[in-house]
Every structure is written in structure tokens, then in C-alpha cells.
Amino acid sequence: MKTYDVVIVGGGIIGGSIAFELTQRNLRVAVLDRQELMQEASWAAAGMLSPAPDSPAAIPIVPLGRASLALYPQFVAAVEEASEIRTGYRTDGALEVLCHGDAERELSTLVALHHGLGLACEPLSLEEAREMEPALGRDVRAAAFLPDEASVNPRSLTAALLTAGENTGTTLYPGVEVTSLIKSGEHCTGVKTTDGESFFAEHVVLAAGCWTSQIREAAPYAPTHPVRGQMVALRHASEPILRVLRSERGYIVPRDHATPQNLVAGSTLENAGYAKAVTSGGLEQILGAVNEFAPCLAGAEILETWSGLRPGTPDQLPILGPTDLEGLMIATGHYRSGILLAPITAKLITEWITERRVSLNCEDFSPMRFTRSNADRSAPADGSATAE
Ligand SMILES: Cc1cc2nc3c(=O)[nH]c(=O)nc-3n(C[C@H](O)[C@H](O)[C@H](O)COP(=O)(O)OP(=O)(O)OC[C@H]3O[C@@H](n4cnc5c(N)ncnc54)[C@H](O)[C@@H]3O)c2cc1C
């Protein structure tokens, strides 16, 4: 029988960041992963640190994203110091480009939306945009600079988190698959694994990405599903691209300033179950989008292709916080923003565990919102009790 203060299920960036934060508070932490850690969505990500919403559904996440972006410099510094691994953190900002429709009108809307959400966004003339990024092609009709946005190399960051975790005393259990929760009355006291082993803890945190819903008794709190994203790594020999470039159809994230330069381009949003395939249609979509606004990339060499599974949720919001099972906490559903949201997630879960209160209003992200809405649906409209 193994006993810890906190058992975390899932060794992606979310589980790894929470473990790193908790060990700073001298808690005994175990991270259980059914395979080698950091091999799933967190490894597959592009690494943009953008708090801007990509749809109206994502607007409630903006304050969380801003808070996390503000934590990033100290988060990266702490992880790099504990691991002695560089994470590729860059604070060069991003350019959002518009290539279709009434681009000038769309630019005004984009700028107003950002300002309304407290996000810096500067409209640029096409001359200014091309001066900042000579790679921009003729199809670009309008552009804005997002000076506060940043990026990180997720593979370097996850490798650094893994090493930092080991160096700071987290016990890592690769190859341990959790099947169910151990309950004692209204308390969650641990988890059971496929080989029948039990791990006991005062606090259990489920951070198993899109697979969280597959853990027995977790689905009512964390109805996650996979949303596939395909990616392409490129190397191009012309003038380096200096910052993240994106349009509504795709993005490029530079990984270095070298010549030739390494870049990654993405991505697709697909409901394809748990199949991590790379498809010709997916690649066509990504490359078509980036070649449109940066045509110099048409000559770039393709180095690697891959896909990953984002943890999606029914309302596209993350699932963070305690449940009505004392001792059970959820930290998943970060969908397209888990790299951005890792530092704030680690901070909030640590606050819940150590102080039983949090410094941000997280009501919108409560795991109890799904159980409440199920209860609402099954309650009769007049509020009377149902009879069998
Ligand atoms: C193509 C792509 C591009 C992206 N780009 C960005 C970006 O630019 N910026 C950004 O902020 N976000 C981005 N994301 C989203 C981000 O990658 C995810 O939100 C984030 O990685 C989720 O982290 P996680 O730790 O919750 O999940 P994961 O990294 O998927 O980790 C979950 C872990 O749980 C383990 N596990 C599952 N089931 C069990 C079990 N039963 N028992 C034990 N272990 C289990 C898995 O093996 C895995 O290691 C992107 C995602 C993709 C796919």
C-alpha cells in the first residue's frame, strides 16, 4: 500500500505543473501515468501563450489566461532553475493577420474585442507589419500586433518539468494506469490501478487530459472528450520569422532565430475519437493556411508531422477545483490553452489543497457545474418531487 499527501493522475503539463508547485510546499506527491510522462497533448502542442479568445465560448477563460501569462516568467524561471533545462520561452509578441473579406472592418472588431477584454492589441499599417515581419505575403490585407503574447517550446518545457519534478522530490510512476477511485463514504481516499494496486492520499487530483472521463466515477465531474490537432514542423532557409504569426485559418510558431530556422505550423480541430492520425487533408489545411500569409514557406522542408488530442469539454471551459467527494479535485479540460493555463492551474489547485480557498473566482470552471445541470434537467419544472 502506498500513501502520499497528494496523488495526481496524469503526467502531462497540468499534472506535472501541479506536482512541481505542491512539492515547493513540502507535500509528498506522486504522479501516476499509464505510459511515459509528457507524451500526449502537452508534447504535441504549438506552445503559443495567447489569452485571446478564439471563439465567444472562450471569453470566460480570458481572466484566467491573463493571470497565467503574468505568472509565466516566474514559472519558467523556477522550472529552468530546478531542471537546468531551457524551455524556449520567448516574449516577442504575435502578429494576427487578416487575409479575407472586409479586412479593415474585421481589424477594427478584433482591436475592439481585445481592448474590451483588457488585452493589448495595436493595429498596424501593412508597411509596418511587413517591416516587423518581412515574410508576410501579398494576401495579407490587415494586421495587428499583440505585444504581450509569448511562446514556449512545449517539448522543452515538459522535459524540464519532468526533470524538475524528479529533482524536487515528486515520485513519478510511469506505466501505472488508474481505473477507478477508492471511496470511503463521501470521501475519496485514493485510486486503484489496472494491476489492482491501491494508492492512498488525502487529496486526489485527476489531470488525465482527454482520458479523464474514462476513469470510473470521474465522468460526472469531468466529461472530457478528445479533439484532435495535427501539426507540422518545418525548416526554412530564408529570413527568420521573428514572432508568432496567425490568421483565422492557421499559425506559425518560430522555435529559434537561426538560419535555416525551425518552425511549427498548425493546426486542425477534429472530432476523430482517440485516433492520433496525420491525414493528407489535415496537412493540406495547415500548409494552405500558412503559405497564404507567409508564401516563402512554400519552399520549406517538412521535418516532422504529428497529432495530439486536446482535452475538450461540453462548454469548452476547463474543469478546475473540488468536487462533492471530499478529497477529490479535477484539473483538466484545458482544450486549446493547457500550455498557457498550466501555471495558474497549478497555483489554484495548490491553494485549494493548502488553504481551502482560491485567489480567483473559479465558479465558471467548477466540476460541479455538470452534476448541477444534470440535476436541473431531471428536476420537474414545478419543483415537486418525482415519484417512481
Ligand atoms: C496540436 C495541438 C496544439 C496545441 N497548441 C497549444 C498552444 O499553442 N497553446 C496552449 O496553451 N495549448 C495548446 N494545446 C493544448 C494543450 O496541449 C493541452 O490543453 C494540454 O497539453 C493538456 O494537458 P494535460 O496535462 O491536461 O493533458 P495531456 O498532456 O494529454 O496529459 C494527460 C496524461 O494523462 C495520462 N493518462 C490518461 N489516462 C490515464 C489513466 N487512466 N491513468 C494514468 N494516466 C493517465 C496520459 O498518458 C497523459 O500523459 C494544443 C494541443 C494540441 C493537440
Side-chain angles (χ1 to χ4, degrees), residues 9-15 32-49 176-179 207-212 215 227-231 251 267 306-311 331-341:
V9 183
I13 193 167
I14 298 300
L32 281 44
D33 201 295
R34 62 180 181 175
Q35 56 182 347
E36 289 301 321
L37 282 78
M38 309 282 178
Q39 296 301 306
E40 293 293 349
S42 307
W43 174 91
M48 291 178 289
L49 304 178
V176 172
E177 180 166 3
V178 168
T179 51
C210 66
W211 297 272
T212 309
I215 297 168
V227 182
R228 185 168 74 192
Q230 301 184 40
M231 295 288 297
Y251 54 77
S267 180
W306 67 93
S307 71
L309 302 175
R310 305 175 183 91
T332 189
H334 295 78
Y335 188 39
R336 303 189 77 181
S337 304
I339 308 299
L340 169 69
L341 297 176

Side-chain angles (χ1 to χ4, degrees), residues 11-14 16-17 37-49 72 75-76 79-80 85-90 150-163 231 233 244 251 253-256 263-265 306 336-340 342:
I13 193 167
I14 298 300
S17 302
L37 282 78
M38 309 282 178
Q39 296 301 306
E40 293 293 349
S42 307
W43 174 91
M48 291 178 289
L49 304 178
Y72 241 94
F75 172 70
V76 157
V79 175
E80 289 187 346
I85 295 174
R86 297 279 148 249
T87 60
Y89 176 56
R90 297 164 58 130
S151 66
V152 69
N153 183 334
R155 295 187 189 177
S156 307
L157 176 58
T158 51
L161 263 176
L162 201 54
T163 306
M231 295 288 297
V244 171
Y251 54 77
V253 184
R255 285 280 189 255
D256 56 38
L263 311 153
V264 296
W306 67 93
R336 303 189 77 181
S337 304
I339 308 299
L340 169 69

Side-chain angles (χ1 to χ4, degrees), residues 166-187:
E166 277 172 332
N167 290 350
T168 53
T170 301
T171 310
L172 305 176
Y173 289 94
V176 172
E177 180 166 3
V178 168
T179 51
S180 58
L181 308 176
I182 303 172
K183 293 200 282 187
S184 168
E186 295 306 304
H187 285 65

Side-chain angles (χ1 to χ4, degrees), residues 121-376:
C121 179
E122 300 163 12
L124 299 174
S125 68
L126 285 177
E127 293 69 34
E128 288 169 325
R130 291 210 173 90
E131 213 164 281
M132 288 176 83
E133 289 293 349
L136 292 182
R138 293 187 179 285
D139 285 345
V140 173
R141 298 192 197 168
F145 180 43
L146 312 165
D148 296 338
E149 294 202 3
S151 66
V152 69
N153 183 334
R155 295 187 189 177
S156 307
L157 176 58
T158 51
L161 263 176
L162 201 54
T163 306
E166 277 172 332
N167 290 350
T168 53
T170 301
T171 310
L172 305 176
Y173 289 94
V176 172
E177 180 166 3
V178 168
T179 51
S180 58
L181 308 176
I182 303 172
K183 293 200 282 187
S184 168
E186 295 306 304
H187 285 65
C188 174
T189 54
V191 294
K192 267 204 174 348
T193 70
T194 35
D195 54 12
E197 204 177 354
S198 300
F199 286 75
F200 289 95
E202 199 176 325
H203 302 276
V204 170
V205 181
L206 300 184
C210 66
W211 297 272
T212 309
S213 56
Q214 295 182 345
I215 297 168
R216 213 172 306 138
E217 290 125 353
Y221 306 114
T224 51
H225 63 271
V227 182
R228 185 168 74 192
Q230 301 184 40
M231 295 288 297
V232 189
L234 302 168
R235 179 155 46 215
H236 89 121
S238 41
E239 199 170 342
I241 289 168
L242 301 175
R243 49 185 68 73
V244 171
L245 303 181
R246 65 168 182 261
S247 72
E248 57 178 0
R249 295 178 57 217
Y251 54 77
I252 302 165
V253 184
R255 285 280 189 255
D256 56 38
H257 289 294
T259 311
Q261 182 184 30
N262 291 310
L263 311 153
V264 296
S267 180
T268 58
L269 286 174
E270 302 166 82
N271 291 315
Y274 292 91
K276 285 192 290 179
V278 174
T279 64
S280 65
L283 294 183
E284 186 185 5
Q285 180 195 315
I286 296 166
L287 296 173
V290 300
N291 290 344
E292 179 178 55
F293 60 77
C296 61
L297 292 182
E301 181 188 350
I302 293 183
L303 295 181
E304 188 188 349
T305 62
W306 67 93
S307 71
L309 302 175
R310 305 175 183 91
T313 62
D315 54 11
Q316 294 181 32
L317 300 180
I319 310 173
L320 301 175
T323 65
D324 57 0
L325 266 187
E326 185 73 25
L328 178 67
M329 238 172 247
I330 312 290
T332 189
H334 295 78
Y335 188 39
R336 303 189 77 181
S337 304
I339 308 299
L340 169 69
L341 297 176
I344 191 70
T345 301
K347 181 173 191 274
L348 292 168
I349 297 291
T350 301
E351 287 176 350
W352 265 305
I353 287 176
T354 60
E355 300 166 31
R356 298 184 76 89
R357 47 168 282 284
V358 279
S359 48
L360 264 181
N361 179 358
C362 292
E363 195 50 38
D364 284 350
F365 314 121
S366 167
M368 297 309 298
R369 69 188 188 269
F370 304 108
T371 57
R372 278 197 296 264
S373 59
N374 286 342
D376 291 348

